Amino acid sequence: MFAISGGSTKLSDFGEILHPEQASEPILAKAVRSALLEWLTEIWAAEDLLAVDLKPRKRALFHGAPGTGKTTLAHHLAARLGLPLLLVRPERIQAQYMGASAQAIGRLFDAVRAAPEPIFLFFDEFDSLAATRLTGASTAALDHNHTINTLLANFDAFDGFVVAATNMGSGLDPAIWRRFEIQIELALPGDHERQRIIERYMAPFVLPKASLAALSRAMETASPALMRSFAENIKRQIVVGPKAGWVMNRDAVISRVIETVKPHPDLGLPRLWSVGVADHAVSQFPWPLEKDIAAYPAERAPVAGGEIVPLNRRGS
Ligand SMILES: Nc1ncnc2c1ncn2[C@@H]1O[C@H](COP(=O)(O)OP(=O)(O)OP(=O)(O)O)[C@@H](O)[C@H]1O
Ligand SMILES: [Mg+2]
């Protein structure tokens, strides 16, 4: 790893630096995977594009609800390009006194240009920094409009990659919005992605396919972040619970997890959180969890309501 500094201002003054080797590949819906692949293909074809007087597009907006993977995707993309990512936090730019935010933007781009290698710029919560310019001559309006103009000028002069994340996309200044040549929406994951996300974060434990499918259905409208917390909290309880003397039967563990891990208030409440341990997905959840699918009993497992559902021994 290397230290990145640019002139007197350090890049880390503006946010965190995420290195390529720390990135993990997100589980993406088909539409997002295609959009990403199209962009990468274009970037890799830079020389051929130059032959027809074009450059690859370098600025993208990622829209999506909280926890849908905007930061994860940007980090993954930067890693595929072999670049460190600077995660710029709006609070590191925004300042109380007149002209200070615009100055901070200038210093940020100076530091990026002075860095010893190219930096992939990622603006988190971009709506709060780049809201539509204000009318009127109030100090607040003049200051905000100056910030936006400075941002526009720096975007135009900057030749590197810039991704900005927004929760809604509306409310961005139209001229800023036009600077972004690519728009990628990170929708909530569909059933297939939910199953893969649960599978990934439950590892090294494995779930029979029927249980995975039931859990995924009970988690409709869950963000990847919520699913990750759910799975990781179950694993944490499996390790810590017995040492701490907690009741460790399935319903007790799952109900503690549902209590601890809360869905984001802006997203709908997934069924598992409204129904709780009475949910069909809980009676389908194997207990104790195993790391080898063959370790689960092959016999048919009774579930709530007397219905009989076969557990898939192979789990594929
Ligand atoms: N598509 C995905 N596949 C696997 N894991 C994911 C995916 N999306 C998000 N995660 C996990 O969920 C967590 C939150 O993701 P991330 O921070 O990227 O979301 P975000 O959209 O940037 O959220 P915010 O709006 O709060 O900034 C991370 O721990 C990440 O590993
Ligand atoms: Mg984020």
Side-chain angles (χ1 to χ4, degrees), residues 217-238:
R217 279 195 299 275
M219 287 198 176
E220 248 185 89
T221 77
S223 67
L226 180 67
M227 285 183 280
R228 179 176 190 168
S229 296
F230 176 87
E232 291 185 345
N233 267 279
I234 287 187
K235 293 193 294 185
R236 188 166 296 117
Q237 294 222 9
I238 289 173

Side-chain angles (χ1 to χ4, degrees), residues 120-133:
F120 187 112
L121 261 180
F122 178 69
F123 287 91
D124 211 5
E125 296 170 48
F126 196 51
D127 340 56
S128 71
L129 188 63
T132 305
R133 272 167 285 190

Side-chain angles (χ1 to χ4, degrees), residues 14 19 22 25 60 77 143 155 188 207 229-230 244 263 270:
F14 301 99
H19 295 274
Q22 301 158 335
E25 184 166 357
L77 179 64
D143 191 41
F155 274 177
L188 288 173
L207 296 179
S229 296
F230 176 87

Side-chain angles (χ1 to χ4, degrees), residues 233-277:
N233 267 279
I234 287 187
K235 293 193 294 185
R236 188 166 296 117
Q237 294 222 9
I238 289 173
V239 174
V240 177
K243 300 182 201 298
W246 296 339
V247 178
M248 286 305 291
N249 65 50
R250 180 191 62 194
D251 287 8
V253 169
I254 294 183
S255 89
R256 282 196 299 269
V257 172
I258 291 173
E259 263 308 297
T260 317
V261 176
K262 290 293 178 204
H264 193 283
D266 290 355
L267 300 172
L269 198 64
R271 199 186 70 205
L272 183 60
W273 274 262
S274 50
V275 176
V277 287

Side-chain angles (χ1 to χ4, degrees), residues 9-274:
T9 312
K10 290 197 302 300
L11 284 177
S12 53
D13 292 347
F14 301 99
E16 236 175 303
I17 295 161
L18 307 180
H19 295 274
E21 60 276 15
Q22 301 158 335
S24 66
E25 184 166 357
I27 293 161
L28 301 170
K30 200 159 175 271
V32 180
R33 255 200 337 269
S34 315
L36 184 69
L37 190 64
E38 184 186 325
W39 193 14
L40 280 169
T41 309
E42 180 176 325
I43 295 166
W44 290 325
E47 277 186 24
D48 298 336
L49 284 172
L50 205 58
V52 293
D53 285 336
L54 285 180
K55 284 182 174 180
R57 293 169 294 174
K58 288 195 162 169
R59 290 191 283 257
L61 270 182
F62 289 177
H63 309 285
T68 46
K70 299 177 294 294
T71 304
T72 308
L73 180 61
H75 190 191
H76 169 68
L77 179 64
R80 292 196 62 176
L81 300 171
L83 301 175
L85 174 146
L86 176 64
L87 196 164
V88 181
R89 303 249 179 230
E91 64 272 17
R92 301 284 186 97
I93 300 279
Q94 282 161 331
Q96 294 303 318
Y97 54 95
M98 189 76 181
S101 303
Q103 269 176 24
I105 289 168
R107 283 203 314 277
L108 161 68
F109 280 92
D110 285 347
V112 168
R113 269 187 294 269
E117 65 174 311
I119 302 290
F120 187 112
L121 261 180
F122 178 69
F123 287 91
D124 211 5
E125 296 170 48
F126 196 51
D127 340 56
S128 71
L129 188 63
T132 305
R133 272 167 285 190
L134 303 164
T135 50
S138 69
T139 312
L142 291 174
D143 191 41
H144 178 64
N145 298 349
H146 181 42
T147 304
I148 295 291
N149 288 332
T150 308
L151 206 48
L152 284 170
N154 277 284
F155 274 177
D156 289 342
F158 183 60
D159 192 36
F161 290 97
V162 183
V163 167
T166 79
N167 279 347
M168 61 293 256
S170 58
L172 273 195
D173 183 82
I176 293 273
W177 189 87
R178 278 197 302 276
R179 294 302 191 279
F180 290 90
E181 306 143 306
I182 296 176
Q183 312 265 337
I184 295 182
E185 177 166 2
L186 284 110
L188 288 173
D191 182 52
H192 178 67
E193 292 78 37
R194 285 199 303 274
Q195 293 198 32
R196 290 186 54 211
I197 291 169
I198 299 166
E199 213 173 6
R200 172 183 292 182
Y201 294 118
M202 283 307 303
F205 297 108
V206 290
L207 296 179
K209 195 167 174 46
S211 158
L212 211 48
L215 203 51
S216 162
R217 279 195 299 275
M219 287 198 176
E220 248 185 89
T221 77
S223 67
L226 180 67
M227 285 183 280
R228 179 176 190 168
S229 296
F230 176 87
E232 291 185 345
N233 267 279
I234 287 187
K235 293 193 294 185
R236 188 166 296 117
Q237 294 222 9
I238 289 173
V239 174
V240 177
K243 300 182 201 298
W246 296 339
V247 178
M248 286 305 291
N249 65 50
R250 180 191 62 194
D251 287 8
V253 169
I254 294 183
S255 89
R256 282 196 299 269
V257 172
I258 291 173
E259 263 308 297
T260 317
V261 176
K262 290 293 178 204
H264 193 283
D266 290 355
L267 300 172
L269 198 64
R271 199 186 70 205
L272 183 60
W273 274 262
S274 50

